[in-house]
Amino acid sequence: MASPRVSLFLLVSLVFFVTLSAAESLYATGLSESFYDTSCPQAASIVDAFVTKYLQKDRNFAGAFNRLQFHDCWVGGCDGSVLLNSTATNQAEREAHVNFGLRGVAEIDEIKAALEYACPGVVSCADILILAARDATVKVGGPTWTVATGRRDGVQSTDLMADTNLPFPVLNFSGLVANFAAKGFNAREMITLSGAHTIGRSHCNGILPHLYNFTGKDDVTDTDPAMDKEFSVLLKRLCPQGNRTNTIFIDSTANHFDRLYYQNVLGGRGVFITDSALITDPGSKKVVRSFAKRSSTFFSEFAAAMVKMGNLGVLTGTQGEIRKTCQFVN
């Protein structure tokens, strides 16, 4: 019979193994929380320092980093392909209609240059995107989450891939559910990730259909009837008909990650058609009401959804490459 001491050791070892296995199962195969511990132990701190610098200059840049992760991972996986430049023979993802006004590419490349100086050929652009989105969210009051690294960079990027995968801001509720389901996310996770609209800004390009073409009439009076009247007047002043390039904050606390987005949606103050769509379904509206409350689980569910998103279509091992600069393949 085993001694009590041996039995206790086996029990502790089993608990450790199960806990470790559970943690690792959160991530795609090939990703690890300790991936750069030996090859570039300062990687995370370098990314964090640069994100701090950018947000000190413009706190609203947190929304840009969140958008970059989503727009990268949703198109062929989290492989940094959204950062690639077009070539003479190829229109890259950044040229897609749905990527109009995308910010943060030059900043990611600046972080990459610092990492190349510290650890040449080690840290991928894909990982930098994921780390920057997490760090930026935390620095503007949002939740934190553990980032597993080890992604490698893709070499393919086309505007068609982006326009056929990313959700356009004119989708109704069923369209949103279908788009997220195609990536393995349920309706609640879709509503959760929509909460990223609590930070950031948008060009009027994505807002005009909500104000002037809601039913297809393309008329100054063709506004979503469910939109708060005073809010629609404000938006029309900021986004005159035909003006695609003006920029507005997505909510009144757009430099702070909070629950106000859901309160705005409930009050008819959703900026995009996709925002307002969240309360057109009874079940979805119930979730929005829940997330609008101070005691809600929105923060923890958002963190979990971002971890899950970071697993999409990752390249690991010998797949892909580690780019020298993020806007060009090697």
Side-chain angles (χ1 to χ4, degrees), residues 43-157:
S45 61
I46 289 174
V47 175
D48 183 77
F50 274 90
V51 171
T52 297
K53 182 182 79 168
Y54 300 138
L55 295 190
Q56 285 174 342
K57 184 177 180 181
D58 179 6
R59 280 177 64 84
N60 197 247
F61 230 87
F65 287 130
N66 262 262
R67 187 185 183 202
L68 273 178
Q69 174 173 334
F70 179 64
H71 283 233
D72 184 43
C73 294
W74 226 246
V75 183
C78 308
D79 63 353
S81 57
V82 73
L83 302 169
L84 288 171
N85 283 346
S86 295
T87 66
T89 58
N90 179 67
Q91 288 283 97
E93 291 172 35
R94 281 160 52 194
E95 307 300 326
H97 297 295
V98 76
N99 278 330
F100 184 81
L102 199 68
R103 297 184 294 156
V105 174
E107 286 73 15
I108 294 296
D109 239 349
E110 186 178 15
I111 299 173
K112 174 62 172 174
L115 286 164
E116 282 297 299
Y117 181 81
C119 314
V122 174
V123 182
S124 68
C125 301
D127 276 343
I128 296 172
L129 278 180
I130 303 294
L131 287 164
R134 188 272 311 272
D135 293 346
T137 301
V138 175
K139 292 178 191 301
V140 293
T144 189
W145 55 91
T146 303
V147 171
T149 49
R151 297 167 190 79
R152 289 172 64 86
D153 298 320
V155 297
Q156 295 183 337
S157 178

Side-chain angles (χ1 to χ4, degrees), residues 15 33 42-43 78-79 105 124 168 186 193 225 227 238 246 305 310:
V15 170
E33 295 175 13
Q42 66 270 54
C78 308
D79 63 353
V105 174
S124 68
F168 276 81
N186 60 35
L193 287 171
M227 185 182 288
L238 297 171
N246 281 3

Side-chain angles (χ1 to χ4, degrees), residues 230-248:
E230 291 184 5
F231 187 65
S232 69
V233 170
L234 171 64
L235 286 185
K236 287 180 178 180
R237 188 164 67 245
L238 297 171
C239 293
Q241 190 173 19
N243 186 313
R244 301 172 64 242
T245 56
N246 281 3
T247 59
I248 69 166

